[in-house]
Amino acid sequence: MKRLKIVLPQWEGGVNPNYVLGDRLMDLIVPAEQLPTVTIPVADVNDPEVLERQHGIDAYQALQGQLTAVQGVLATMQPDKVLMVGGECAVSLAPFDYLSGRYGRNLGIVWLDAHPDISTTEESHHLHEMVVSSLLGKGAPGFNAHHPLASDQVILAGLIEEDLRPMDHNVFDYQVQRMTPKQLREAPNALSDWVRGHGFKQVAVHFDLDALSPTAFRSIYPAEPGTDPANFPAAVGQLTLPEVANLLTQLDQNAELVGLTVAEHMAWDALNLRQSLSGLSLLE
């Protein structure tokens, strides 16, 4: 089976340059040194024109270019399995669409995230908030999947339902199955049961680190030092690393794991240390 790792420090879909350093560090953390690797360049974080809004999407041109670059790599190398080490959540769009085209209805998608990422340009201008809707073929203009998934091929795992926002209404409109952290704890086999119950032979997992609790994992957006996660303006994850590790292991044992994205690593200590040293004349 041909495997490929793609490193994409994409920040534009969340309009947050901090994801660039987070992705570079994540590339060192993920234990996949043996995999052939392609790194996709991203736009200059200091270029104000990068974020120009077109068709309701901030940084439309930059994101289109990066999407096309990843699609080109996948079309050329034709891997059977893809590991995506990414910045914000929109990095899953190209590889999961590719895997959908490769495996069709045999593919199930586990979206491990505190948020559903299922908006459209009517509710958001950030591509990372509409990745799932785009994979379903109902999302962002110019970013909808070439091989759209059916709603029953996706499960939203770790979703904080009580904190869903009006922009998340498509969770209900598209009838996507979902499981809260509490449900995952009460039924540790639920995701693997979902895979077997639907007859999926292959599975791809999108792991947004925001699915984790800020008390269990500090390198996520809601865990910014000096702030209270209770005041974070979106849902805050509740899972622990051991719980996620168990879920991933079970999925790996009950289906062929052909895709994995690890995204939204916010390395606060590294970012703050870098910023603290940046003004020193010795380093200029």
Side-chain angles (χ1 to χ4, degrees), residues 199-275:
F200 297 132
K201 296 178 181 178
Q202 287 84 27
V203 65
V205 179
H206 172 93
F207 178 22
D208 181 345
L209 294 172
D210 284 356
L212 298 169
S213 163
T215 61
F217 190 79
R218 303 298 301 171
S219 297
I220 55 175
Y221 207 159
E224 181 177 3
T227 68
D228 184 350
N231 297 325
F232 192 69
V236 176
Q238 297 176 5
L239 295 171
T240 68
L241 268 177
E243 288 170 337
V244 170
N246 179 59
L247 295 172
L248 294 176
T249 299
Q250 287 196 42
L251 289 168
D252 197 21
Q253 293 174 346
N254 285 276
E256 184 182 14
L257 183 63
V258 297
L260 173 64
T261 291
V262 185
E264 305 226 348
H265 183 224
M266 190 65 73
W268 288 117
D269 289 343
L271 286 162
N272 290 334
L273 178 59
R274 182 180 177 88
Q275 179 62 32

Side-chain angles (χ1 to χ4, degrees), residues 55-68:
H55 309 291
I57 301 291
D58 291 341
Y60 180 93
Q61 290 296 334
L63 290 165
Q64 272 286 312
Q66 287 152 210
L67 177 68
T68 301

Side-chain angles (χ1 to χ4, degrees), residues 141-182:
F143 293 93
N144 281 323
H146 296 296
H147 310 282
L149 296 160
S151 294
D152 65 353
Q153 286 180 266
V154 181
I155 187 167
L156 304 172
L159 186 68
I160 312 300
E161 285 196 342
E162 62 268 26
D163 289 333
L164 287 174
R165 302 154 294 182
M167 67 185 294
D168 301 321
H169 66 86
N170 287 328
V171 167
F172 308 104
D173 294 350
Y174 299 161
Q175 299 182 326
V176 179
Q177 190 167 346
R178 53 202 181 273
M179 295 201 71
T180 66
K182 182 175 184 290

Side-chain angles (χ1 to χ4, degrees), residues 18-146:
N18 288 335
Y19 287 127
V20 175
L21 181 59
D23 182 65
R24 290 172 180 166
L25 294 173
M26 185 58 63
D27 184 27
L28 299 174
I29 294 169
V30 175
E33 295 84 359
Q34 76 283 9
L35 296 187
T37 301
V38 175
T39 300
I40 306 295
V42 297
D44 182 353
V45 299
N46 297 310
D47 183 355
E49 295 183 1
V50 166
L51 297 178
E52 181 183 352
R53 184 178 299 169
Q54 296 182 31
H55 309 291
I57 301 291
D58 291 341
Y60 180 93
Q61 290 296 334
L63 290 165
Q64 272 286 312
Q66 287 152 210
L67 177 68
T68 301
V70 178
Q71 290 171 331
V73 168
L74 293 168
T76 299
M77 301 190 72
Q78 291 288 305
D80 302 297
K81 301 182 179 185
V82 182
L83 168 66
M84 172 62 81
V85 180
E88 36 81 5
C89 284
V91 298
S92 281
L93 183 54
F96 284 20
D97 186 22
Y98 166 82
L99 292 169
S100 177
R102 193 170 188 88
Y103 296 109
R105 284 288 304 179
N106 288 323
L107 179 70
I109 300 292
V110 175
W111 202 264
L112 191 57
D113 198 333
H115 318 105
D117 297 342
I118 203 166
S119 300
T120 69
T121 52
E122 293 183 5
E123 300 92 13
S124 174
H125 301 297
H126 294 174
L127 185 63
H128 79 149
E129 293 178 329
M130 54 189 83
V131 195
V132 172
S133 48
S134 295
L135 286 168
L136 295 172
K138 303 175 180 180
F143 293 93
N144 281 323
H146 296 296

